[in-house]
């Protein structure tokens, strides 16, 4: 299901204070997926709201998978840094 940005609105509590930003994601089949973000996000662009909403859905539906992907990215960066350090040490020892 390919979701797209549909709309945004501000939700208010009983006292009239803005409580959340509701981003509505839609698809061509008529799906309607509301995602609630912090109230202060209402001023973001539609693209930024879409990205935050998708990240929120991803985190809610696949929390372990998302965490594993983050650790995988960190591990890849560490490996790159180690390789660069090894190359620098090797070059220094050859001189």
């Amino acid at each position: 299901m390919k979701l797209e940005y549909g709309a945004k609105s501000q939700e208010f509590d009983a006292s009239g204070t803005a409580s959340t930003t509701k981003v509505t994601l839609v698809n061509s089949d008529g799906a309607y997926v509301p995602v609630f973000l912090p109230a202060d996000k209402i001023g973001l662009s539609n693209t930024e709201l879409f990205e935050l909403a998708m990240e929120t859905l991803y985190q809610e539906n696949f929390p372990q998978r998302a965490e594993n992907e983050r650790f995988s990215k960190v591990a890849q960066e560490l490996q790159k840094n180690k390789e660069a350090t090894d190359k620098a040490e090797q070059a220094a020892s050859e001189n």
Side-chain angles (χ1 to χ4, degrees):
M1 164 174 32
K2 181 176 165 98
L3 294 171
E4 299 174 355
Y5 176 85
K8 69 178 177 182
S9 62
Q10 191 92 60
E11 301 288 312
F12 298 90
D13 61 20
S15 69
T17 305
S19 60
T20 61
T21 296
K22 181 169 91 171
V23 177
T24 304
L25 303 176
V26 297
N27 76 0
S28 60
D29 295 327
Y32 169 89
V33 182
V35 179
F36 296 96
L37 302 173
D40 64 338
K41 302 298 184 194
I42 192 73
L44 296 176
S45 71
N46 293 350
T47 301
E48 291 169 315
L49 287 171
F50 174 73
E51 290 171 359
L52 279 174
M54 291 299 290
E55 181 63 24
T56 299
L57 279 177
Y58 185 69
Q59 292 294 332
E60 289 175 356
N61 290 290
F62 307 103
Q64 195 62 39
R65 181 176 170 197
E67 187 174 312
N68 290 344
E69 285 180 2
R70 274 196 214 105
F71 283 121
S72 176
K73 288 179 185 177
V74 169
Q76 289 172 358
E77 289 298 317
L78 288 172
Q79 183 62 31
K80 287 179 188 176
N81 290 341
K82 183 182 181 311
E83 290 170 3
T85 302
D86 291 345
K87 285 180 184 179
E89 287 175 354
Q90 183 180 13
S93 68
E94 290 175 357
N95 293 330

